[in-house]
Amino acid sequence: MNEKLVNPSNKQWFMLVLCVIAGSIAPFFQYCHGTLSDYIMETYNITYSQLGIINTTYSFACGLGLFAVGAYVEKLGCKFFTMLGIAIMIVGHTMFFFAPSYAILILSRVVSGFGNACIYNAAYTLAVHWFQGTNKMGIATGAMTAADGIGTFCALYIFSQLLNLLGIRSGNISVIVFVVVVLLILIMILKDPGVMDIEEGSAALDESGKYDKALNTNTIAHCIAVTGVLGGLGIANYWGPSMLTDLGMSSANAGLASTMFTAVGIVSSLLFGGISDRMGKRRGSMLIGGVGMVAGYVLMILGSQSSMISAIVIGMICTGFCAYIVYPMGFALLSDTTHSSKIGSANGIIQGVSFLVGMFVFQQIVGVVKDATDSYWIGLAFCAALTFVTNVILVRMFVREKDEVAKEMAKN
């Protein structure tokens, strides 16, 4: 494979910005109730396990939806699914915050989960398509990962401040109106790339040394890696505020502290995206991220056991910084080694599996252990061990760099 990569055009950078805006809406609606865990539990008289079910129901619906979206995103278009997802999440958010019962809470998360699936797959795939043939794929996937951090920061901090200022009802109505306006603007100016758009700013694609199937070795490797990433992300965003408020921190400050997980991730995703572009390698960065995530869990365990808020927050920061290294590197690697027409389907497989296992299993472990033992550390310790396996041992075993894949394909 002899593919000359070139700098992206201004139009490609502009479309990336729009993809980032669209992509940030999904994590916003996913996590915006995280700082209101106590309010939700009191209002609907539910336990930690039931709160965990609300969170994991969302992940389950999103995980299943990702498989469906992945199967059709290349046929119906990435823009179509991105816009559809934003509209569906607006409906789901409205249902959640005005739900009359616990059952409607669950149903609203199913609706929002499918909407997230549409955005999560389509916006990411759209950004990758716009940057095919360029030498900035790592930065593009890093920017889309940063979108997750931006949306999560707005959900856990900006949203909580808005509710403090306007109240729950007025605050939510203002958010819904704002996102509707954003959706209308994106409908008008965001687009799928055509042949001429790509040829203006990218090199001619040579995909002879890439996997021609969506399910390949790197798809499996990234499934494993993202499972660990989303497990850590979910714990920080869902259970982080609860851990901190249990130690006496206010809800607003707990939300701000939890957002540090994603705030530092914005930096690391862009930084390591650029570094990996220059190096032409992705595996080393993924391994660094895996080791750092485990170290962050250890700090959270120590903080939980010794009631040290600072250790928990530093652990979240460490885990977040490193998780956001792993996430974009895997998608950049997938783009490096998989035919462009198969990326949407491959993303659906990766995101679907990781959501179902990472978000669902990790969340339930922490919630069930908390109810059974009134402690977080046992669940965190299990998650740390699982992350070491998924993001260090198995990543080292399965990840294949683009030159290794090219050699493999040349033999076939």
Side-chain angles (χ1 to χ4, degrees), residues 59 227 230-231 352-363 386:
S59 302
T227 295
L230 293 186
V353 171
S354 60
F355 249 82
L356 289 175
V357 180
M359 287 290 193
F360 189 85
V361 173
F362 280 61
Q363 296 303 307
L386 193 57

Side-chain angles (χ1 to χ4, degrees), residues 186-209:
L186 289 174
I187 288 173
M188 290 186 288
I189 61 179
L190 182 63
K191 62 182 290 188
D192 291 297
V195 175
M196 293 302 296
D197 294 313
I198 297 300
E199 288 182 350
E200 285 175 7
S202 305
L205 295 179
D206 176 11
E207 301 192 308
S208 58

Side-chain angles (χ1 to χ4, degrees), residues 116-195:
N116 193 342
C118 295
I119 302 172
Y120 190 36
N121 182 292
Y124 224 109
T125 304
L126 183 56
V128 168
H129 282 330
W130 272 106
F131 273 68
Q132 285 289 337
T134 73
N135 57 10
K136 297 294 187 291
M137 182 59 74
I139 292 178
T141 57
M144 291 308 298
T145 305
D148 186 83
I150 294 167
T152 304
F153 175 81
C154 291
L156 295 180
Y157 182 67
I158 302 299
F159 182 68
S160 66
Q161 296 301 313
L162 183 65
L163 295 187
N164 288 336
L165 179 65
L166 300 179
I168 291 179
R169 183 180 180 85
S170 298
N172 277 284
I173 290 174
S174 65
V175 164
I176 291 166
V177 172
F178 176 77
V179 178
V180 168
V181 172
V182 172
L183 172 60
L184 294 175
I185 294 172
L186 289 174
I187 288 173
M188 290 186 288
I189 61 179
L190 182 63
K191 62 182 290 188
D192 291 297
V195 175

Side-chain angles (χ1 to χ4, degrees), residues 25 29 79-91 111-112 114-119 183:
I25 293 173
F29 281 139
K79 176 183 176 178
F80 170 79
F81 275 107
T82 302
M83 301 302 99
L84 177 65
I86 294 173
I88 291 174
M89 292 203 81
I90 291 171
V91 173
V111 173
S112 289
F114 182 74
N116 193 342
C118 295
I119 302 172
L183 172 60

Side-chain angles (χ1 to χ4, degrees), residues 398-410:
F398 285 106
V399 165
R400 298 289 182 270
E401 298 282 5
K402 61 182 179 181
D403 55 340
E404 296 170 334
V405 173
K407 292 177 181 178
E408 179 184 333
M409 299 305 295

